[in-house]
């Protein structure tokens, strides 16, 4: 018997996170009961997945391994991730692929608008990878996507979750000029953890970004979020709240960090539901219009319902 081994045509699969391959495994404690979620297997989930694939779109729900994908997709709520599936940064917490992205798809804004229409979304969340390779960080592509959705679905409210546009002069102004209903940019963690967790970003630049949105257009709701369980202290979380309120941020989300793989940052501890409840109460006393704090809170989880509450909270405060 002769065994043939093909050493020429076999395509080597590039690792999802090449920069993390040689890192030692980081072990996290077992998940507590309050983190458990059901596997996605409903008809609504399948229908949403079909529409996403037919339009050739990428979702952060899949790429980031969101634990809420089953619940959200069953309701036909998906968060589209524009500008490709490959990020130019390598944050220690994130499951999105790292590498050099391809060229922008000029037809993507229209595809996103069409998928929004087919899903019948009253509120849509659009995020993206970091595109440090582009002169404007992808700002114009964000603006084109917002305009395409407005044209195809004029009654749909639009929430964007942007990168920080670090060292991209004028980029933020381009996105803000397209007037999304909600401008979200996540701080992700407390300042002391940035070098370990989010080394490509700058904490006070992100604070200033959110503040600048309000200066450009005070009617745009601003939103930001952090993860806990990365080694932060309680007093640091409270300081983040103060920093965000100094930038007039309206909406704060706080969720539990979950480790995507053993090559990512370990979970230092699982914050209890009671602690999340405490953070929520404190945040409201500091003046946020809206707060979502729970183990499974994510930026776009229940975004439509939360937007309605956000509008009501602003109206109540102005009376």
């Amino acid at each position: 018997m002769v065994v043939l081994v093909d050493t020429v045509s076999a395509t080597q699969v590039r690792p999802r996170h090449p920069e993390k391959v040689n890192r030692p495994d980081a072990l996290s404690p077992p998940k507590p009961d309050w983190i458990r979620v059901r596997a996605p297997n409903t008809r609504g989930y399948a229908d949403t997945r079909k529409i996403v694939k037919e339009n050739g779109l990428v979702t952060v729900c899949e790429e980031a391994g969101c634990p809420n994908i089953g619940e959200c997709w069953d309701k036909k709520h998906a968060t589209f991730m524009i500008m490709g599936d490959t990020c130019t940064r390598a944050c220690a917490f994130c499951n999105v692929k790292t590498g050099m992205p391809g060229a922008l798809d000029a037809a993507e804004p229209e595809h996103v608008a069409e998928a929004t229409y087919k899903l019948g979304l009253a509120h849509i969340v659009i995020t993206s990878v970091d595109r440090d390779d582009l002169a404007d960080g992808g700002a114009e592509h964000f603006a084109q996507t917002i305009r395409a959705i407005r044209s195809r679905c004029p009654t749909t409210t639009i929430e964007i979750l942007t990168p920080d546009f670090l060292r991209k002069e004028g980029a933020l102004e381009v996105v803000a000029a397209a007037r999304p209903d909600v401008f979200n940019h996540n701080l992700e963690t407390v300042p002391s953890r940035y070098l370990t967790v989010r080394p490509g970003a700058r904490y006070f630049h992100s604070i200033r970004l959110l503040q600048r949105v309000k200066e450009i257009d005070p009617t745009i709701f601003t939103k930001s979020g952090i993860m806990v369980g990365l080694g932060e202290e309680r007093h640091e979380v409270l300081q983040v709240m103060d920093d965000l309120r100094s930038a007039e941020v309206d909406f704060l989300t706080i969720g539990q960090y979950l480790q995507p793989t053993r090559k990512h940052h370990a979970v230092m501890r699982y914050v209890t539901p009671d602690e999340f409840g405490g953070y929520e109460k404190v945040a409201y006393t500091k003046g946020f219009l809206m707060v979502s704090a729970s183990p499974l809170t994510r930026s776009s989880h229940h975004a439509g319902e939360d937007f309605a509450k956000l509008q009501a909270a602003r109206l109540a405060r102005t009376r």
Side-chain angles (χ1 to χ4, degrees), residues 28-283:
S28 296
K31 290 180 183 177
D33 290 341
W34 61 78
I35 296 293
R36 311 293 178 185
V37 294
R38 291 182 179 178
N41 59 1
T42 64
R43 175 64 182 273
Y45 171 87
D47 289 345
T48 301
R49 190 174 190 278
K50 184 172 183 287
I51 291 171
V52 168
K53 299 308 175 187
E54 283 177 347
N55 287 275
L57 299 173
V58 178
T59 69
V60 74
C61 322
E62 297 170 291
E63 297 302 317
C66 180
N68 301 314
I69 187 171
E71 177 192 347
C72 293
W73 282 29
D74 181 50
K75 300 175 183 176
K76 295 191 176 180
H77 295 169
T79 298
F80 297 117
M81 189 167 77
I82 59 175
M83 296 190 274
D85 65 353
T86 305
C87 187
T88 53
R89 299 197 191 169
C91 296
F93 66 88
C94 186
N95 198 39
V96 174
K97 286 190 291 188
T98 298
M100 181 54 68
L104 294 179
D105 177 2
E108 185 175 49
E110 295 298 333
H111 289 318
V112 172
E114 185 61 24
T116 302
Y117 176 79
K118 287 179 177 177
L119 288 167
L121 297 177
H123 185 82
I124 179 66
V125 183
I126 308 295
T127 188
S128 80
V129 289
D130 273 287
R131 290 297 303 256
D132 295 317
D133 59 309
L134 301 175
D136 70 347
E140 179 58 31
H141 201 75
F142 257 109
Q144 289 175 8
T145 303
I146 293 168
R147 290 193 290 266
I149 295 169
R150 291 253 189 262
S151 176
R152 187 73 172 94
C153 311
T155 62
T156 298
T157 50
I158 302 171
E159 179 172 333
I160 57 171
L161 172 54
T162 76
D164 60 12
F165 301 119
L166 188 63
R167 304 183 187 91
K168 307 294 183 183
E169 189 72 27
L172 170 65
E173 287 73 13
V174 169
V175 180
R179 301 197 68 225
D181 296 282
V182 181
F183 192 111
N184 185 4
H185 171 64
N186 285 335
L187 297 180
E188 307 295 5
T189 188
V190 301
S192 69
R193 306 302 300 154
Y194 260 53
L195 286 178
T196 303
V197 174
R198 199 182 176 216
R202 300 294 179 268
Y203 177 80
F204 286 106
H205 169 81
S206 288
I207 292 287
R208 176 59 183 149
L209 182 90
L210 291 159
Q211 184 180 46
R212 180 72 182 127
V213 174
K214 282 293 188 186
E215 292 172 354
I216 295 169
D217 189 343
T219 68
I220 297 175
F221 288 105
T222 50
K223 179 177 176 179
S224 190
I226 63 168
M227 302 168 288
V228 289
L230 284 160
E232 72 290 328
E233 299 290 341
R234 176 179 168 81
H235 69 88
E236 293 180 296
V237 175
L238 301 186
Q239 182 61 57
V240 167
M241 293 181 190
D242 290 337
D243 293 341
L244 288 172
R245 285 303 302 137
S246 72
E248 298 185 72
V249 170
D250 301 300
F251 190 169
L252 171 66
T253 62
I254 307 176
Q256 172 69 53
Y257 166 65
L258 298 176
Q259 185 185 36
T261 74
R262 289 190 174 188
K263 299 299 181 182
H264 288 77
H265 196 294
V267 175
M268 306 309 291
R269 77 182 188 97
Y270 290 103
V271 177
T272 68
D274 285 347
E275 289 177 90
F276 278 106
Y279 281 139
E280 182 173 309
K281 289 177 182 177
V282 171

Side-chain angles (χ1 to χ4, degrees), residues 8-20:
V8 177
S9 63
T11 303
Q12 281 202 333
V13 178
R14 188 174 186 271
R16 187 176 182 87
H17 299 287
E19 78 290 349
K20 296 180 174 72

Side-chain angles (χ1 to χ4, degrees), residues 281-299:
K281 289 177 182 177
V282 171
Y284 274 120
T285 67
K286 290 181 181 292
F288 289 99
L289 284 178
M290 187 69 193
V291 182
S292 178
S294 74
L296 292 175
T297 288
R298 296 296 182 269
S299 292

